Amino acid sequence: MSIGIGAIHCVLPTDRTAVRELPEFGSLSHEETEFAEGCGIAGIGEFLNRTATDLAVRACQELAEADQVDPDVLLLVGARAPDVLLGSDVCRVQKEADVSRSFAFTVDGLGCTGSSAAWALARDLLVADPDRQSVLITHGSRPTGMDRIRYPVTVIGDGAYAMTIQRDARPVLRAHRMQTDGDFHDLFGVDYKQAPWYEWREECSSPDRYSFELALQSRLRLGKLVTQVLADAGVRKDQVAATIMQNVTASAYDFYESLLDLSIHPVCRDHLRDYGHLGAMDVVLNLDRLLRGGELRTGDLVLVLNNSPVAAWAVTLWEV
């Protein structure tokens, strides 16, 4: 059964702000300033007065303008913070994107890894029910509060995507594996109940635990997942044409290249520099630009690595 990507549409801002010009930059500590200046991000794009759900709706609408979209299921990859409590962001997307036939729900709690989980879940939903033909996945990236510099992790930019997973489409999802570790569930948090949204500040309970303990777990988990995914597909590492991952810091690429003996495609560094970290959108943007770049041929294999501080890890192998 051939299940793959039908279409991808990414929405990126034209308004740009250099990292040094962000409002919070002047109040950073020396250590935080060094991080912001050395993470490989020159600036971020901003959508003024737009929420994550606004951006997801726009991505779905624009995808529908270019490609016929009539999904059986709509998956919203959860934003860093929902736009409404008790209401439903995903059902708002369903209504405003005019995909009323679909059953809509949210994939949440996985951070950046949510997109990888969503496309794997979409594939499983199509396998489970022969009457289903396609799944629409969408996500909007916005910071949790006002601040975009997320020490010790990255700098947040704005963006959104919509993509379809459907039958008889390429690239084909050849193999996928993912894991989570509940020990890190409270490593990051926002005390949103005690302050208005414009005072929300993301806090890391232990920067050392993030930099060392979680990094060690990522090293072990991703290395094992890559080995398993390649074995599931019956291919060798040297048969992979390109490897991409999420865009967090430039040093992360060096870390994983050394760890996995795989070269991270330059498109990732380009997007990190120009747009910052776009959360769960990163791997979709990188994959979309790689597929549109013209360097891949039919049958080429693309490995997608994804992880988040939740902690969650995922590895997917696509065949072009």
Side-chain angles (χ1 to χ4, degrees), residues 195-302:
W197 72 270
Y198 50 83
E199 293 181 2
W200 287 357
R201 298 292 182 272
E202 183 174 303
E203 297 181 357
C204 178
S205 61
S206 174
D208 286 343
R209 193 169 181 227
Y210 169 78
S211 300
F212 297 103
E213 187 177 343
L214 181 57
L216 175 60
Q217 283 298 316
S218 293
R219 175 179 180 179
L220 296 173
R221 305 280 185 131
L222 277 179
K224 183 177 180 180
L225 288 174
V226 167
T227 299
Q228 291 174 331
V229 163
L230 295 180
D232 291 343
V235 301
R236 303 184 310 274
K237 190 178 293 185
D238 61 5
Q239 292 177 287
V240 174
T243 302
I244 61 172
M245 60 179 292
Q246 82 274 24
N247 310 327
V248 180
T249 62
S251 60
Y253 302 134
D254 299 332
F255 176 78
Y256 287 110
E257 284 181 334
S258 174
L259 163 67
L260 302 172
D261 192 28
L262 289 166
S263 297
I264 305 301
H265 195 278
V267 71
C268 300
R269 292 182 186 269
D270 292 344
H271 289 152
L272 175 71
R273 180 192 64 234
D274 295 340
Y275 299 108
H277 176 52
L278 303 177
M281 179 180 176
D282 279 345
V283 291
V284 179
L285 174 64
N286 293 342
L287 181 59
D288 182 48
R289 296 302 186 266
L290 178 62
L291 294 173
R292 294 175 185 272
E295 65 183 86
L296 298 178
R297 298 172 298 176
T298 300
D300 279 350
L301 300 173
V302 178

Side-chain angles (χ1 to χ4, degrees), residues 62-80:
E62 293 181 1
L63 176 66
E65 291 174 2
D67 295 89
Q68 183 176 356
V69 176
D70 186 24
D72 299 284
V73 181
L74 168 65
L75 298 183
L76 174 67
V77 179
R80 296 176 181 87

Side-chain angles (χ1 to χ4, degrees), residues 42-117:
I44 54 91
E46 295 184 84
F47 282 112
L48 301 178
N49 303 316
R50 293 290 183 271
T51 68
T53 309
D54 291 337
L55 299 180
V57 168
R58 175 178 165 182
C60 291
Q61 291 173 335
E62 293 181 1
L63 176 66
E65 291 174 2
D67 295 89
Q68 183 176 356
V69 176
D70 186 24
D72 299 284
V73 181
L74 168 65
L75 298 183
L76 174 67
V77 179
R80 296 176 181 87
D83 287 349
V84 296
L85 296 176
L86 295 183
S88 175
D89 292 342
V90 67
C91 286
R92 179 192 159 198
V93 175
Q94 180 187 37
K95 176 178 175 58
E96 297 189 16
D98 193 23
V99 287
S100 57
R101 189 176 73 88
S102 64
F103 177 75
F105 65 98
T106 300
V107 178
D108 204 4
L110 298 174
C112 314
T113 314
S115 289
S116 296

